Amino acid sequence: MRPADFSEAIRKTIAIRSNNLCNNPLCRRSTLCESLSDDLVINLGKACHIEAASPNGPRYNPNTTEEYRKSIKNAIWLCPVCADRIDKDYKSYSVEQLKEWKRNAEQSCSPITGLRVLAVANSAGGVGTSTM
């Protein structure tokens, strides 16, 4: 694990806050699928850095700290296609735009109830949910 990688708790939390849907408003595909060989669910989603973790990465900001780079504030939940797209075509996706995607996706994650699902990560890496 690299120093600025997200913890398992953060990856689980942003997936839950996003209802396991890609945060790209033009995509919004589910990041979960069923295995064809058994009854397991496969998570295809990726916790991506809004501002890069390393100096050569897309949207790197030298003025941020390592703590910020690996924090939930710098994480966005995307499907594999959108994750690759925002990093390979990084000039087309600003930090502000990605933060807006994340904010809007998390605010609308529960369209049936209108409640935002909050994930609570504990120090052991487990995650529970509550609603607000």
Side-chain angles (χ1 to χ4, degrees):
M1 191 159 127
R2 297 173 302 172
D5 282 348
F6 299 120
S7 69
E8 183 65 22
I10 287 175
R11 289 193 297 271
K12 287 179 181 179
T13 299
I14 63 169
I16 291 169
R17 285 185 181 176
S18 299
N19 204 20
N20 286 292
L21 298 173
C22 179
N23 285 184
N24 179 345
L26 299 176
C27 176
R28 298 298 284 158
R29 76 174 44 108
S30 175
T31 59
L32 300 176
C33 68
E34 291 187 52
S35 170
L36 298 176
S37 61
D38 52 38
D39 292 330
L40 299 178
V41 173
I42 300 168
N43 180 357
L44 301 174
K46 294 184 178 188
C48 302
H49 289 86
I50 295 172
E51 295 184 42
S54 58
N56 295 327
R59 297 170 304 279
Y60 180 75
N61 180 352
N63 299 317
T64 59
T65 64
E66 186 176 304
E67 281 304 309
Y68 172 78
R69 289 184 199 117
K70 65 181 180 181
S71 75
I72 198 161
K73 293 177 184 176
N74 192 38
I76 185 169
W77 188 252
L78 298 170
C79 72
V81 172
C82 291
D84 285 348
R85 180 177 290 136
I86 69 156
D87 284 351
K88 290 180 179 176
D89 187 17
Y90 64 91
K91 291 180 182 177
S92 296
Y93 301 96
S94 69
V95 168
E96 294 76 23
Q97 180 181 25
L98 297 178
K99 286 182 178 181
E100 183 178 345
W101 285 5
K102 176 183 177 176
R103 183 175 49 255
N104 291 340
E106 289 182 357
Q107 286 176 351
S108 66
C109 75
S110 186
I112 295 171
T113 64
L115 300 175
R116 181 173 174 216
V117 176
L118 298 177
V120 182
N122 65 33
S123 60
V127 176
T129 62
S130 65
T131 58
M132 160 172 98

